[in-house]
Amino acid sequence: MDCKLQVVGIQSQLEMGSVAVNRSVHEFQDESLFSPELVTQKIQPSHIAECGSVSGGFQAGGSERWRRDVYRSIKTVVFSNKLNLLMPFGPLAILLHQLHGHNGWVFFLSLLGITPLAERLGYATEQLAFYTGPTVGGLLNATFGNATELIIAIYALKSRMIRVVQLSLLGSILSNMLLVLGCAFFCGGLVFYQKEQVFNKATAIVNSGLLLMAVMGLLFPAVLHYTHTEVHYGKSELALSRFSSCVMLVVYAAYLFFQLRSQKDLYIPIEEEGSQNGESTYDNDDETPEISKWESVIWLGIMTAWISILSEYLVDAIEGASHAWNIPIAFIGVILLPIVGNAAEHASAIMFAMKDKLDISLGVAIGSSTQISMFAIPFCVVVGWMMGQPMDLNFQLFETAALFITVIVVAFFLQEGTSNYFKGLMLILCYVIVAASFFVHEDPMEDKQLKP
């Protein structure tokens, strides 16, 4: 390659010398750089042979460089996080399922194996967002941020475990709004204990309105069921759920357009206003991408495929784990599964809160709850419709009441636009109460809807 550059450079210099008519012939001859002897010397056969050896070395060097890049990418994604020490539990769960079939341990090991995969999925999404910008990055987070919950839900729908789908999605909303947001407020408040952290109330109000709309969509089918006022018994409730789901998907699409296009000046720079240091989500002075764009895409595909494989074993072992450990299905669906699915959101929300970027933490926690309630739940209803499964929005009275009270409590906490560690502690303790309630709650629909 260098030899080719030398010849091209000599030719260009000869052309430049021939065009310089304003210079004298004597002056041109004195230029030893353009003498024919020097040109002949520079393209001697030894140099040509040297070029051949260099080109062969370039091919070998390219292969070596490719291997170095692969090693660096694996080291960055797989070996840079201590949570990835849990990754071997995934293959161990598959092996245990094939050899022994003990559903309790298969469920537990699958749960441990999916946890680092969910966190790395969020990491790969964040890395890709560096190259796409905030608008497309927001859509990527909307797509992959809750990918784990959606994958588990679709496998449960395929296995006709409709109740597990409802409980796991409900649990994701409760976990994001109480546990994730509470930990973010608490950790951020401890770091900045001498002041109250602030965030933009406009985003919080819009998200609170969307969450209340989602509660309304879940409330009416439940009320219709328990008041026995259906026009067509057993059909009106399902028809209303499917119609409401389509409406909710349209509202969520309009919300994305409103947030990313129509009012993007109101939403994108929120982090700059909140942190008061001129940084944004995807363009920070102290943050640069650690892997390339195509590496991010490849790792997204790998993590999604591996989560899909483990989710199948996880869903198949849920009922057996409930009987083996004497744990209610409701507690597994509402508490245990969402903790795994929200691993990425949990880590990101706490990290940004400790950097005084509370608007981003709010977007991660409340934004994820909005995505699940206005997109994931109605999407699963539509997918169940296409599969011929009677997935509806009747989450039963106890679950709907828990969601309604949670949305009201969080809305009150967000109305001032400030946070501190005490507010975070109260949200965490509220989640503890919810978890205890589901631990002692006997789901009346478990036998009817778990495997209809």
Side-chain angles (χ1 to χ4, degrees):
M1 181 108 182
D2 294 335
C3 297
K4 288 182 180 179
L5 291 174
Q6 289 175 1
V7 175
V8 172
I10 293 168
Q11 289 177 349
S12 62
Q13 288 172 348
L14 284 170
E15 291 173 1
M16 290 172 59
S18 63
V19 224
V21 292
N22 57 336
R23 302 179 62 182
S24 64
V25 177
H26 176 73
E27 192 178 3
F28 179 77
Q29 289 176 347
D30 287 342
E31 294 278 355
S32 60
L33 182 62
F34 298 111
S35 61
E37 293 81 11
L38 185 58
V39 174
T40 308
Q41 182 182 355
K42 284 189 178 287
I43 56 174
Q44 283 177 353
S46 61
H47 286 75
I48 296 175
E50 200 175 303
C51 285
S53 64
V54 169
S55 63
F58 176 75
Q59 293 176 354
S63 177
E64 181 66 26
R65 180 182 178 184
W66 182 83
R67 284 196 295 268
R68 284 200 308 267
D69 289 342
V70 171
Y71 172 75
R72 177 191 54 79
S73 181
I74 294 175
K75 182 180 178 181
T76 302
V77 177
V78 178
F79 297 106
S80 63
N81 192 351
K82 293 181 180 179
L83 190 63
N84 293 344
L85 293 173
L86 299 177
M87 280 188 178
F89 287 109
L92 189 59
I94 298 175
L95 183 63
L96 185 62
H97 176 80
Q98 300 295 334
L99 296 179
H100 190 274
H102 191 286
N103 287 328
W105 284 107
V106 171
F107 173 80
F108 179 70
L109 294 176
S110 300
L111 205 65
L112 291 179
I114 288 179
T115 303
L117 297 176
E119 192 277 333
R120 290 289 90 182
L121 190 69
Y123 168 81
T125 305
E126 291 174 2
Q127 293 298 307
L128 187 58
F130 278 108
Y131 301 96
T132 59
T135 302
V136 181
L139 292 175
L140 285 173
N141 283 322
T143 305
F144 289 101
N146 298 307
T148 306
E149 291 93 331
L150 277 175
I151 292 171
I152 293 175
I154 290 174
Y155 270 103
L157 271 178
K158 186 179 176 182
S159 302
R160 302 178 62 85
M161 301 173 71
I162 297 174
R163 194 60 182 152
V164 171
V165 178
Q166 293 177 329
L167 293 174
S168 63
L169 293 176
L170 172 71
S172 294
I173 300 174
L174 299 177
S175 173
N176 276 304
M177 296 185 68
L178 294 176
L179 183 62
V180 176
L181 186 64
C183 289
F185 281 2
F186 183 74
C187 295
L190 289 180
V191 174
F192 300 96
Y193 66 94
Q194 294 181 341
K195 68 169 187 176
E196 279 195 328
Q197 292 181 290
V198 296
F199 53 85
N200 194 311
K201 290 191 291 186
T203 311
I205 291 173
V206 172
N207 281 284
S208 298
L210 287 171
L211 288 168
L212 284 171
M213 181 180 178
V215 169
M216 184 175 67
L218 270 61
L219 183 63
F220 284 128
V223 171
L224 193 68
H225 175 79
Y226 282 98
T227 55
H228 305 287
T229 55
E230 298 176 83
V231 176
H232 303 287
Y233 182 76
K235 296 182 179 180
S236 299
E237 175 188 334
L238 183 60
L240 175 62
S241 298
R242 289 170 175 173
F243 175 78
S244 300
S245 296
C246 294
V247 173
M248 291 164 72
L249 288 174
V250 171
V251 172
Y252 183 72
Y255 166 69
L256 286 180
F257 179 80
F258 174 79
Q259 182 183 20
L260 302 176
R261 292 290 183 184
S262 177
Q263 298 288 331
K264 65 179 182 179
D265 290 339
L266 178 64
Y267 286 88
I268 293 177
I270 286 176
E271 299 84 18
E272 300 177 4
E273 299 172 6
S275 59
Q276 297 179 353
N277 57 9
E279 297 177 349
S280 63
T281 310
Y282 303 105
D283 186 20
N284 293 324
D285 296 334
D286 57 340
E287 294 182 10
T288 56
E290 298 178 358
I291 56 178
S292 67
K293 178 172 65 175
W294 288 110
E295 287 177 84
S296 304
V297 173
I298 292 171
W299 280 113
L300 277 176
I302 293 174
M303 297 299 173
T304 304
W306 189 224
I307 288 174
S308 301
I309 295 172
L310 284 183
S311 296
E312 186 173 4
Y313 289 93
L314 181 72
V315 169
D316 290 341
I318 285 178
E319 189 176 5
S322 174
H323 293 307
W325 294 344
N326 197 24
I327 299 177
I329 291 285
F331 184 81
I332 292 177
V334 176
I335 305 301
L336 296 184
L337 291 182
I339 288 178
V340 173
N342 294 333
E345 289 94 337
H346 209 149
S348 299
I350 293 176
M351 178 187 68
F352 285 121
M354 294 177 69
K355 293 182 178 180
D356 201 18
K357 300 178 183 179
L358 208 58
D359 289 293
I360 309 179
S361 298
L362 203 68
V364 169
I366 303 299
S368 182
S369 299
T370 304
Q371 290 163 16
I372 295 172
S373 60
M374 296 299 293
F375 173 73
I377 291 178
F379 177 76
C380 286
V381 172
V382 174
V383 170
W385 189 4
M386 292 187 291
M387 288 182 177
Q389 302 292 339
M391 169 77 183
D392 58 20
L393 295 179
N394 179 15
F395 280 42
Q396 304 304 311
L397 194 60
F398 183 84
E399 290 78 2
T400 306
L403 177 62
F404 178 70
I405 295 172
T406 298
V407 171
I408 295 298
V409 168
V410 173
F412 271 107
F413 275 74
L414 299 179
Q415 65 180 352
E416 294 181 353
T418 61
S419 76
N420 50 55
Y421 69 89
F422 181 64
K423 287 184 177 180
L425 180 62
M426 284 193 288
L427 288 175
I428 294 173
L429 294 179
C430 285
Y431 185 75
V432 172
I433 294 175
V434 170
S437 301
F438 277 98
F439 187 78
V440 299
H441 170 60
E442 183 178 356
D443 187 10
M445 302 302 295
E446 180 176 324
D447 296 331
K448 295 181 181 179
Q449 289 195 11
L450 186 61
K451 283 190 175 182

